[in-house]
Amino acid sequence: MANASSKAIVRDGKTISQSPNGCPAGAQMACLVEMRLRTNEGARVIGRRPLASGAALLWLLARSPALAQRANRLPRVARISTEAPLAEMVGPDPINREARAFVHGLRDLGWVDGRNVIIEHRSAEGRPERLPALLRELVDLPVDVIVTGGTAAALAAKRATDTTPIVAIGPDLVALGLAGSLARPGANVTGLTFYAGPAMLAKRLELLKLAVPAATRVAIVRPRAVPGQPNWGPETAAAAGALGVVLSVAGVDGPEDFDAAFAALSRNRPDAILCTESPVIIGNRARIIAFAARERLPAIYGLRLFADAGGLMSYGTDLAETERRAALYVDKILKGSKPGELPIDQPTRFDLVINLKTAKTLGITITPSILVRATEVIE
């Protein structure tokens, strides 16, 4: 007998107990899911045919996580940073330039936070040892995609899950062991690299020499030995020889190494410094830029955020644009693509940004021959 909140109807000669929402009392879940799918997608209901029964729908949902996700909850996208202040990452228009580019990139693709997707922002805020716990929390939520920035976050994400799709933004993902190849990463990782190979160091050296023609001794600030990071290769050695420049290395593997590196640079003063775009350099950019200003050392960096923060010059990719492209990967994964089948995106555009305010402070005159090459000049 039907309860007080249901009613009895006759269908095909049989009496069926039906709840106020119009669903059979014994198949509430399946019926509600089917109703939701019809409401959201009109006639596009599982091959344009209504399912034969609630049991069949439940069977299909069990075998299709993506369909179950649409039927039961909004997809969740996690974006985790190693260093950005969390307060600057959240909201519809984040203060952080890279976070803003990612959120706006998703919005341009039709994914609006709180409407049809939930963006879970997390940050270790300069303490990479917090990354494993943050990623365990995200995996346990669960989330449907994890977007990571930098080597430490990407490696921590891979250790945390081998099933949740990961879109990693960082250096050479293949050399780091996160991907099988650029064309077919495999497993649950794909992403975007801002590393264009050792030849990029040679190009930066050429630009630095154009800006500071008198420079004959250049120190490269980089990790001593980190897999997947830019290295001093034959291209850079050849460029140095052609330009009449003697190279040296100031090795830094962690924040604790910078004081000693700065002291060595002060003792054996080079004419200029060249910085790679490795995570330890990015995470300590304020210290490096302050040191270069204090010592009145011209410097060129690998990412424009250094020039934005007061560095003299940068030549390389724009991380904000990389984050915007990462939104495309998230869009594809949420629509059913497998991360391991999405080729890793490699940079094709490189920006030269020159900070004329810093040049004036250092007493350097940037000649027209290099200014005309600049993508942007900060005055």
Side-chain angles (χ1 to χ4, degrees):
M1 181 176 180
N3 61 36
S5 62
S6 63
K7 61 182 180 179
I9 62 171
V10 177
R11 182 181 297 163
D12 297 331
K14 297 179 181 179
T15 301
I16 300 173
S17 178
Q18 190 177 52
S19 64
N21 57 31
C23 290
Q28 283 282 300
M29 180 178 178
C31 176
L32 288 172
V33 168
E34 185 170 351
M35 287 174 64
R36 181 169 177 176
L37 285 172
R38 287 180 179 276
T39 300
N40 289 343
E41 301 188 17
R44 293 181 294 150
V45 180
I46 316 303
R48 296 190 178 275
R49 293 186 305 170
L51 294 176
S53 67
L57 178 58
L58 290 175
W59 179 88
L60 187 60
L61 289 175
R63 292 175 175 268
S64 176
L67 185 58
Q69 171 183 296
R70 284 189 301 155
N72 294 308
R73 66 179 179 87
L74 296 180
R76 289 180 182 265
V77 175
R79 182 182 178 276
I80 184 164
S81 169
T82 303
E83 58 161 302
L86 184 60
E88 297 182 2
M89 295 170 58
V90 298
D93 294 293
I95 297 172
N96 180 271
R97 186 169 178 267
E98 289 74 39
R100 184 168 64 251
F102 177 73
V103 171
H104 288 188
L106 281 180
R107 187 185 305 165
D108 291 344
L109 294 165
W111 298 101
V112 180
D113 190 18
R115 183 182 302 170
N116 58 355
V117 70
I118 295 174
I119 303 177
E120 299 281 355
H121 292 283
R122 298 290 188 276
S123 178
E125 297 189 300
R127 296 168 55 195
E129 67 274 10
R130 295 180 57 204
L131 288 169
L134 291 172
L135 282 154
R136 281 196 300 271
E137 175 194 346
L138 291 170
V139 171
D140 290 344
L141 271 177
V143 295
D144 302 284
V145 186
I146 299 173
V147 180
T148 67
T151 300
L155 291 173
K158 183 59 179 172
R159 285 192 290 267
T161 177
D162 57 5
T163 55
T164 304
I166 298 170
V167 177
I169 300 172
D172 192 336
L173 303 181
V174 176
L176 286 170
L178 294 172
S181 68
L182 292 172
R184 195 175 180 86
N188 64 318
V189 179
T190 186
L192 308 90
T193 176
F194 50 70
Y195 174 47
M200 185 57 64
L201 284 181
K203 184 63 178 179
R204 290 181 194 135
L205 183 61
E206 293 172 6
L207 291 169
L208 183 59
K209 182 70 172 178
L210 278 175
V212 191
T216 58
R217 299 171 66 243
V218 174
I220 300 177
V221 182
R222 65 169 177 85
R224 295 184 183 91
V226 177
Q229 300 303 319
N231 55 66
W232 175 2
E235 298 90 345
T236 305
L243 295 168
V245 171
V246 176
L247 297 174
S248 61
V249 170
V252 285
D253 292 331
E256 68 281 0
D257 296 330
F258 279 90
D259 287 342
F262 291 158
L265 287 169
S266 296
R267 286 193 308 270
N268 307 302
R269 183 181 175 85
D271 300 314
I273 58 177
L274 186 161
C275 293
T276 67
E277 61 269 56
S278 58
V280 69
I281 302 297
I282 297 171
N284 290 274
R285 61 185 178 276
R287 297 173 65 185
I288 299 170
I289 292 169
F291 170 78
R294 186 170 63 250
E295 296 290 323
R296 298 181 66 80
L297 279 172
I300 188 168
Y301 306 91
L303 298 169
R304 70 159 291 153
L305 54 83
F306 283 85
D308 288 337
L312 176 62
M313 306 166 58
S314 68
Y315 182 73
T317 55
D318 181 354
L319 279 183
E321 177 59 28
T322 304
E323 291 271 2
R324 183 176 289 275
R325 296 202 311 276
L328 291 168
Y329 278 69
V330 172
D331 176 64
K332 291 178 181 178
I333 290 170
L334 291 180
K335 291 177 178 176
S337 295
K338 296 179 180 179
E341 297 176 358
L342 295 175
I344 292 172
D345 181 271
Q346 296 178 278
T348 56
R349 171 181 167 177
F350 305 100
D351 295 336
L352 172 61
V353 182
I354 300 173
N355 192 318
L356 284 183
K357 182 179 179 181
T358 300
K360 183 178 180 180
T361 300
L362 295 175
I364 296 172
T365 300
I366 304 295
T367 62
S369 63
I370 189 169
L371 280 176
V372 296
R373 301 187 184 198
T375 308
E376 185 175 338
V377 174
I378 300 173
E379 300 191 56

